[in-house]
Amino acid sequence: MEYSIKEIAEILNLSTAEINDCKIENLLTDSRSLTYPESTLFFALHTANNDGHLFISPLYAAGVKNFVIEKGARIPMEAQDANFLEVDSPLRALQQLASYHRSQFAIPVIGITGSRGKTTVKEWLYQLLQEDYNIVRSPRSYNSQIGVPLSIWEMEENTNLAILEAGISTVNEMSALKSIIRPTIGIITNLNGEHQDGFSSLEQKCEEKCQLLSQCECVVYNADNKLISDTVKSSPSVQQELSWSRKDGDRPLFISSIEKKVTYSHLCYSYLGVKHEMILPFISDVDIENALHCLAVLLYLHVDEAVIAKRMSALAKVGTRIDVIEGVNHCLIISDSYTSDYNSLSPALDFMARRMTKERTSTVILSDVMHESYSGAALYKKIANLLRTRNIERFIGIGENFVKYQAYFGANSQFYNTTREFLNVCSSSDFEDEQILIKGTPEYNFKEIVDMLEAKQHETVLEVNLDAVAHNYNFFRSKLKPETRIVCMVKASGYGAGAYELAKTLQDRGAGYLAVAVLDEGVDLRKAGITMPIMVLNPRVVNYKALFSYNLEPEIFSLDICKEIIKEAEKFGITNFPVHIKLDTGMHRLGFLKEQLPELLELLKSQNAIVPRSVFSHLAVADEPGNEMDKYTMQQFKYFDECCNILQSGTPTKILRHILNTAGIIRFPEHQFDMVRLGIGLYGIKTLNDGSEDTLKHVSSLNTVIISIKEWDEGITIGYGRRGKITRKSRIATIPIGYADGLDRHLGNEHSKVYVNGYMCPIIGNICMDACMVDVTDAECRVGDSVEIFGDHIPVSDLSDILGTIPYEILTSISNRVKRVYYRE
């Protein structure tokens, strides 16, 4: 949309006297997403991890001349000619502007809330209604206090339907979103315990979410969910309910039967007493529930039942993930399975830009986009301009429209009518040292392109959930004072998950430090573009030049290593290089004792090559509650404090202090000092059994697939040594994971199980190097079905308990030949 900056000032009740008028088309809250500086208005927001005012100078240098800032905030000297709108709260100003913009439209607006399914319902409604309306919808999951206003801003003059998500994480948030969205049709998808931390009960959470529904013209919900049904009934000013039910035939939409086949479901329903039927191209209960919400909306909008049946049968699964995968020839693949349209392209390019390094060029492979509000020519001009402003160096467009409008794109572009045509012409050897964004609609089957460009074709995959990393980080962040920094442990290649993507996520979250075990790990992170401080916990290195040139801060645990680092630093002309002093307060592994500190201080005073940045120690038994163990921990705290005082008294600069580990953050927050070190908890592994960490999310999931199923009679033996014995007629599946992949041989012979389509299936016989066999007699499965080794259904701690070890060992034992896929929803 387009407003003048003076119009925006008036909307915000500000004076326009000293404003240089110009047109504003783009609202920006994240400086990294800047695309069109001359028409951008930047809102300097305070977040948990950052302050937008810190980015005014670089944005001004990049061409931005319009800013919304807090009253009293410092205006950079070089930016005096820019427009600065001073407000009490930039976030409230953003919401106020969006609310005004929403008020300019007398159109149907669908507001969707719930615990899960919001994005799927939104995208399916778009698929089902795009032929009838010019639709604006939330990009990806833009459903927050910031995301909703940005979504509203996308409404154009020709928009005649908006579909918007509303997500909340605590009480008193929905009222602001409701006043912005002002839905005419409200949907609550379902309710569960996800994101429960901000609510005292599930009932309170339901009441908060249902605030969105009050004053809607129509409310859609599952009447079989008693909590939701009771809460909706108590909501004021709901003009019409279009509830659906599989139990209550008096409901407006009654689902009389659902018959599931192998790949589809046949539904019979009656709407206002008239019977109809349709086919849904999926069988899971979750998908069916989401589809029924959509059905209710289409019926309310008077879409013909025959048209509904036709469109429902063609619904495509909604991919909500962005996967990051190692590619051939030193390429990095970013596969975005979300919808392919103009509004979703910009966030995908943002994600790509944050992973760019000097070693790779940028490439985008894009299919024809879904129906948009723009005409064909205007839409493809906008796409070409966006790619140009983002400095995309190579573009491949696939689809008849890209072929038709190829003249709008630059010289280094290629165009193909179909995916098959592209694959017939291009091979993996045509890509080298590139970061490749692959984004297409389902009918183009871009998975074939991803498969061609993947470096590893192993069916066994370690999937790493970057959203879970962020969630776990925020969980521990919430236990600390705002000023306390977090050192995030990414040693051992991020506990087996791969350090770079984790480091990038943590850098974006505002972590204070990363910690690696050895120099090479730190060098790799620097080469990959990680700029935040990195601590090296084992500084015994040969290449001190690399240590200094990559700004990798070493741990010092003895006088010998201190002297060695000083000597090397002086040789390279280094001064005031930060180091971290390790104390032995009770672990009795490495570190200085109290009586060694005077000699250390004398050594530090005699030189200027290094300077202590922090002093730290390790807790030996923080994760083992009990009187004796806790008494030992308290002794460590006392000893640590005494040593810190000795060091600080002899050092002119401030020395940061840190001793708490993951369990320590939970149990002893009063000893958080200046920093804490977050290790295994970051990866979703609980360190305590008291329920305090139950909301942590698993980061790593090890999955494979069934490659064979055979039926065997009782008495047959399976595997090497004939160790697996069949005691009944059985179905035995083979899965391509063995001890060379990190699956410990001691888990064989029915000592452990894997998860297959809702069933726990024992591993039978000895585990082989590259494969193992699983008894799937009781499971409904076929070749190609997914198998979980550990993840959401089998915690990694279950496997470590069986083996009598710790989760660290399981995670770090996953072989490098196992493909890593990093994803965000």
Side-chain angles (χ1 to χ4, degrees):
M1 196 59 184
E2 181 182 293
Y3 285 76
S4 74
I5 189 65
K6 285 192 174 182
E7 287 177 313
I8 291 174
E10 290 173 351
I11 292 167
L12 300 179
N13 302 314
L14 300 174
S15 170
T16 61
E18 298 182 5
I19 292 178
N20 299 315
D21 209 12
C22 60
K23 295 297 182 184
I24 298 298
E25 296 180 356
N26 306 286
L27 305 185
L28 183 69
T29 61
D30 187 331
S31 62
R32 298 167 297 181
S33 301
L34 178 64
T35 303
Y36 304 107
E38 66 283 351
S39 60
T40 288
L41 174 61
F42 177 68
F43 289 78
L45 305 180
H46 279 287
T47 67
N49 302 307
N50 228 322
D51 178 4
H53 296 84
L54 300 174
F55 302 96
I56 292 175
S57 288
L59 283 170
Y60 177 82
V64 178
K65 295 297 171 59
N66 298 280
F67 301 87
V68 177
I69 63 174
E70 283 186 359
K71 288 179 180 178
R74 188 183 71 84
I75 297 175
M77 289 297 297
E78 70 274 13
Q80 297 300 311
D81 62 330
N83 292 318
F84 287 91
L85 308 185
E86 296 190 53
V87 298
D88 292 330
S89 165
L91 175 59
R92 297 288 175 262
L94 173 66
Q95 295 173 340
Q96 184 178 343
L97 175 59
S99 181
Y100 174 86
H101 185 55
R102 165 67 181 91
S103 71
Q104 306 306 297
F105 295 84
I107 63 172
V109 174
I110 302 173
I112 308 171
T113 190
S115 293
R116 59 174 170 77
K118 297 187 292 294
T119 300
T120 296
V121 170
K122 176 193 67 183
E123 292 303 329
W124 278 353
L125 285 173
Y126 180 79
Q127 290 181 34
L128 294 163
L129 294 169
Q130 59 178 314
E131 295 181 25
D132 307 324
Y133 296 90
N134 289 324
I135 301 173
V136 160
R137 68 198 194 281
S138 308
R140 300 201 75 88
S141 296
Y142 275 39
N143 57 28
S144 67
Q145 302 290 311
I146 299 171
V148 167
L150 296 179
S151 301
I152 291 284
W153 184 257
E154 298 299 324
M155 295 169 68
E156 301 277 355
E157 289 183 359
N158 64 346
T159 300
N160 55 13
L161 176 67
I163 309 173
L164 303 166
E165 297 181 44
I168 56 173
S169 57
T170 188
V171 294
N172 302 321
E173 286 188 341
M174 187 59 84
S175 58
L177 298 185
K178 178 196 166 190
S179 67
I180 301 168
I181 298 172
R182 276 171 268 177
T184 59
I185 302 171
I187 305 172
I188 180 163
T189 55
N190 60 44
L191 212 63
N192 59 34
E194 290 184 13
H195 315 298
Q196 185 68 26
D197 291 353
F199 306 94
S200 61
S201 65
L202 201 59
E203 289 75 15
Q204 184 188 54
K205 182 179 181 179
C206 188
E207 290 172 2
E208 180 76 14
K209 286 183 177 288
C210 283
Q211 287 185 33
L212 180 71
L213 311 179
S214 65
Q215 300 177 326
C216 286
E217 295 174 8
C218 177
V219 173
V220 173
Y221 65 97
N222 177 4
D224 297 336
N225 185 310
K226 187 176 186 306
L227 175 59
I228 292 176
S229 184
D230 290 346
T231 306
V232 170
K233 286 178 183 177
S234 64
S235 297
S237 306
V238 174
Q239 296 183 24
Q240 179 179 341
E241 291 183 16
L242 210 170
S243 55
W244 59 267
S245 173
R246 297 179 62 181
K247 303 175 181 177
D248 184 355
D250 293 331
R251 293 289 177 171
L253 176 57
F254 176 58
I255 315 303
S256 55
S257 68
I258 300 177
E259 185 180 1
K260 295 182 181 181
K261 304 295 185 179
V262 176
T263 60
Y264 68 92
S265 300
H266 178 258
L267 275 74
C268 295
Y269 70 93
S270 58
Y271 176 58
L272 302 179
V274 181
K275 295 181 179 180
H276 305 279
E277 58 184 319
M278 65 180 182
I279 298 294
L280 295 177
F282 29 71
I283 59 174
S284 79
D285 291 338
V286 171
D287 286 334
I288 291 171
E289 181 179 11
N290 289 333
L292 291 175
H293 292 309
C294 296
L295 171 63
V297 172
L298 267 64
L299 291 168
Y300 176 74
L301 293 174
H302 306 296
V303 180
D304 182 79
E305 284 81 0
V307 173
I308 292 175
K310 180 181 178 181
R311 293 179 183 176
M312 282 284 189
S313 68
L315 274 181
K317 279 273 194 178
V318 176
T320 59
R321 285 177 37 162
I322 294 183
D323 290 342
V324 181
I325 309 165
E326 181 185 353
V328 297
N329 306 324
H330 195 239
C331 290
L332 185 72
I333 310 303
I334 299 175
S335 175
D336 184 1
S337 60
Y338 195 59
T339 54
S340 183
D341 56 40
Y342 182 77
N343 285 337
S344 68
L345 178 57
S346 190
L349 291 172
D350 286 344
F351 187 87
M352 178 185 189
R354 293 167 193 172
R355 278 148 183 80
M356 286 300 301
T357 64
K358 295 178 181 178
E359 288 76 23
R360 294 188 178 105
T361 58
S362 57
T363 297
V364 172
I365 303 176
L366 191 64
S367 78
D368 276 352
V369 301
M370 297 172 68
H371 172 77
E372 290 280 353
S373 300
Y374 312 104
S375 67
L379 174 60
Y380 285 84
K381 279 183 182 178
K382 287 176 72 71
I383 293 171
N385 190 39
L386 178 60
L387 295 173
R388 198 156 32 246
T389 58
R390 294 300 186 93
N391 299 311
I392 300 303
E393 293 158 283
R394 182 184 181 188
F395 175 66
I396 297 171
I398 299 177
E400 293 179 359
N401 283 322
F402 271 121
V403 172
K404 180 178 179 180
Y405 298 112
Q406 62 182 280
Y408 298 134
F409 295 83
N412 196 19
S413 301
Q414 302 162 260
F415 301 92
Y416 304 91
N417 283 291
T418 65
T419 302
R420 179 49 47 196
E421 181 183 336
F422 164 78
L423 292 170
N424 288 339
V425 174
C426 296
S427 69
S428 59
S429 61
D430 294 309
F431 298 85
E432 185 174 6
D433 297 323
E434 298 171 57
Q435 185 158 293
I436 308 168
L437 172 63
I438 301 175
K439 184 173 175 63
T441 52
E443 59 264 31
Y444 283 88
N445 194 21
F446 273 13
K447 185 179 184 301
E448 292 187 52
I449 300 177
V450 175
D451 290 344
M452 178 186 77
L453 295 176
E454 280 185 331
K456 298 177 180 179
Q457 300 296 327
H458 201 329
E459 298 97 332
T460 299
V461 177
L462 185 72
E463 294 191 328
V464 182
N465 185 344
L466 300 178
D467 288 330
V469 174
H471 169 86
N472 296 339
Y473 175 88
N474 290 337
F475 170 81
F476 287 99
R477 173 77 268 174
S478 71
K479 308 297 180 185
L480 303 170
K481 299 174 185 175
E483 63 271 19
T484 303
R485 305 183 192 186
I486 299 180
V487 181
C488 293
M489 313 301 288
V490 294
K491 60 183 181 177
S493 189
Y495 290 58
Y500 169 65
E501 284 296 331
L502 299 177
K504 187 71 186 68
T505 299
L506 295 166
Q507 182 169 274
D508 289 345
R509 301 307 302 174
Y513 262 90
L514 297 176
V516 298
V518 296
L519 174 67
D520 290 346
E521 291 179 337
V523 171
D524 288 344
L525 289 176
R526 287 284 186 246
K527 287 181 177 179
I530 299 301
T531 57
M532 65 186 294
I534 298 177
M535 187 184 304
V536 181
L537 300 180
N538 183 0
R540 286 282 188 187
V541 297
V542 176
N543 189 354
Y544 277 100
K545 183 179 180 181
L547 183 82
F548 298 131
S549 61
Y550 285 105
N551 292 314
L552 302 172
E553 304 174 16
E555 164 194 305
I556 290 180
F557 54 81
S558 70
L559 289 169
D560 287 343
I561 194 68
C562 186
K563 292 173 183 178
E564 183 178 329
I565 291 176
I566 290 171
K567 176 183 174 182
E568 294 294 328
E570 290 174 343
K571 183 169 71 176
F572 289 106
I574 301 295
T575 58
N576 295 321
F577 196 81
V579 298
H580 302 269
I581 307 298
K582 184 171 189 175
L583 302 175
D584 184 355
T585 61
M587 179 75 82
H588 303 323
R589 183 173 61 182
L590 294 171
F592 289 94
L593 298 173
K594 187 192 305 183
E595 52 266 29
Q596 295 175 299
L597 296 182
E599 187 175 357
L600 173 63
L601 281 172
E602 288 302 315
L603 178 58
L604 293 173
K605 291 176 182 177
S606 69
Q607 53 79 54
N608 66 351
I610 62 173
V611 61
R613 178 60 175 150
S614 82
V615 55
F616 70 104
S617 188
H618 290 277
L619 295 177
V621 289
D623 58 347
E624 298 185 30
N627 290 336
E628 285 302 313
M629 296 301 191
D630 287 351
K631 182 179 178 180
Y632 191 84
T633 299
M634 293 302 166
Q635 291 173 356
Q636 282 195 263
F637 287 140
K638 183 175 183 294
Y639 191 89
F640 179 71
D641 201 34
E642 292 170 354
C643 291
C644 289
N645 291 335
I646 293 171
L647 278 173
Q648 189 62 77
S649 65
T651 307
T653 57
K654 165 73 174 174
I655 304 177
L656 301 174
R657 301 159 297 164
H658 49 109
I659 190 171
L660 293 187
N661 54 11
T662 297
I665 295 171
I666 300 296
R667 299 193 62 225
F668 307 106
E670 67 275 16
H671 295 283
Q672 61 188 264
F673 294 103
D674 305 298
M675 296 199 295
V676 298
R677 295 188 307 280
L678 179 56
I680 196 69
L682 183 63
Y683 302 88
I685 308 300
K686 293 187 284 188
T687 60
L688 303 167
N689 295 317
D690 59 3
S692 59
E693 298 169 298
D694 284 352
T695 59
L696 294 179
K697 294 186 176 181
H698 295 292
V699 168
S700 296
S701 298
L702 184 60
N703 301 291
T704 188
V705 297
I706 296 174
I707 59 173
S708 170
I709 298 178
K710 293 183 178 181
E711 292 193 4
W712 299 107
D713 292 328
E714 179 182 349
I716 295 295
T717 57
I718 304 294
Y720 286 119
R722 302 183 66 194
R723 295 289 299 277
K725 293 180 173 57
I726 301 293
T727 59
R728 59 176 176 167
K729 187 171 183 177
S730 302
R731 298 170 71 234
I732 305 300
T734 301
I735 57 177
I737 182 172
Y739 57 79
D741 301 297
L743 186 64
D744 195 291
R745 291 186 76 245
H746 295 90
L747 295 172
N749 298 304
E750 302 186 56
H751 289 130
S752 70
K753 298 179 180 181
V754 299
Y755 180 85
V756 183
N757 295 342
Y759 297 87
M760 299 298 292
C761 303
I763 298 176
I764 186 167
N766 283 327
I767 292 174
C768 311
M769 178 182 286
D770 308 305
C772 66
M773 283 65 75
V774 177
D775 187 342
V776 295
T777 306
D778 299 323
E780 297 178 8
C781 62
R782 55 184 174 176
V783 171
D785 282 356
S786 179
V787 178
E788 179 185 302
I789 309 302
F790 62 74
D792 289 337
H793 304 96
I794 303 177
V796 68
S797 56
D798 285 2
L799 301 187
S800 62
D801 288 346
I802 292 169
L803 296 171
T805 184
I806 55 177
Y808 299 73
E809 182 176 347
I810 304 295
L811 293 172
T812 56
S813 296
I814 305 304
S815 167
N816 285 331
R817 79 176 188 178
V818 172
K819 179 169 63 180
R820 268 73 170 170
V821 174
Y822 306 90
Y823 70 93
R824 300 199 68 169
E825 297 285 353

